[in-house]
Amino acid sequence: SSKSGFPRMKTSDGLRLILASSGARGSRLAEKFLEILLNNERVGKVHFLASEAFEEVLSAEESTTLGETIDRHRKNDKFFLHDCDDFGAPFSSGSYRHDGMVILPLSMASLGAIASGAHRDLVHRAADVTLKEERKLILCPRETPLSLIHLRNLVAVREAGATVLPFIPAYYTRPKTIEDLENDFFQKILDHLGLENTISPRWGS
């Protein structure tokens, strides 16, 4: 088993996905998107990992803890928790096949590590492996304004094959709640993962 005590693998049908969260604003987006993935019938496994910085941001923004999030999903057979220091996780090797990785939210420190290839933890290592194996990597930066360093790093990861998908609210859907804005964003991620969904209205629908 991994450092967390969770089994490394279980036999399950469906897509294998990785959701990683680093220490940037927007921790609620990670929590909500995790719920969406676990409730999608086409998803068979969700490998979840979060940095220590993410835990701090989550506590500050949502008055909750990562432990509470984990407890809600602990008995879900699709949910696989990983320690950010556990380089023995299956997806730290390119021989483990998965269907896509999402980093939500993406901090600028993690962006810099991924852009340079100098990984310091499992989040960066998994992203590096995903790129070298030419699998889907979706990066959701949460920073504004962006410095020239940030912009150059974003160009570097895009040139390497990553999809850069920041949280930018859309208003043509006539949103009535914050959740409406978030769902439009989640829909874009799901589309790029190849997961059919109807969680938000589409243009022309």
Side-chain angles (χ1 to χ4, degrees), residues 56-106:
E56 295 176 9
V57 174
L58 178 65
S59 177
E61 289 185 337
E62 300 298 317
S63 299
T64 187
T65 66
L66 182 60
E68 290 173 312
T69 298
I70 293 167
D71 286 342
R72 285 200 302 274
H73 305 300
R74 188 179 295 274
K75 295 181 179 180
N76 190 321
D77 287 342
K78 295 182 179 182
F79 180 69
F80 293 79
L81 177 70
H82 300 272
D83 190 298
C84 273
D85 294 324
D86 183 10
F87 285 89
F91 48 84
S92 66
S93 169
S95 64
Y96 178 80
R97 298 178 64 181
H98 65 80
D99 299 288
M101 177 177 182
V102 179
I103 305 183
L104 169 67
L106 172 71

Side-chain angles (χ1 to χ4, degrees), residues 109-123:
S110 288
L111 170 65
I114 295 166
S116 67
H119 49 80
R120 301 188 307 274
D121 61 24
L122 184 57
V123 175

Side-chain angles (χ1 to χ4, degrees), residues 65-195:
T65 66
L66 182 60
E68 290 173 312
T69 298
I70 293 167
D71 286 342
R72 285 200 302 274
H73 305 300
R74 188 179 295 274
K75 295 181 179 180
N76 190 321
D77 287 342
K78 295 182 179 182
F79 180 69
F80 293 79
L81 177 70
H82 300 272
D83 190 298
C84 273
D85 294 324
D86 183 10
F87 285 89
F91 48 84
S92 66
S93 169
S95 64
Y96 178 80
R97 298 178 64 181
H98 65 80
D99 299 288
M101 177 177 182
V102 179
I103 305 183
L104 169 67
L106 172 71
S107 70
M108 294 299 99
S110 288
L111 170 65
I114 295 166
S116 67
H119 49 80
R120 301 188 307 274
D121 61 24
L122 184 57
V123 175
H124 309 150
R125 170 63 182 172
D128 186 45
V129 170
T130 300
L131 286 175
K132 80 180 181 69
E133 298 296 331
E134 299 185 9
R135 299 185 179 121
K136 174 65 71 173
L137 175 63
I138 300 173
L139 303 177
C140 304
R142 290 290 297 121
E143 186 65 52
T144 187
L146 295 167
S147 73
L148 184 57
I149 293 172
H150 301 154
L151 292 168
R152 284 175 173 160
N153 284 338
L154 287 170
V155 170
V157 295
R158 181 69 188 106
E159 289 177 337
T163 297
V164 178
L165 207 163
F167 176 64
I168 298 176
Y171 295 95
Y172 66 84
T173 57
R174 305 290 180 89
K176 296 180 174 59
T177 65
I178 292 175
E179 286 73 20
D180 290 341
L181 291 171
E182 292 171 341
N183 284 339
D184 177 77
F185 168 63
F186 295 145
Q187 184 176 75
K188 289 180 171 60
I189 303 177
L190 293 172
D191 285 349
H192 280 271
L193 289 173
L195 290 168

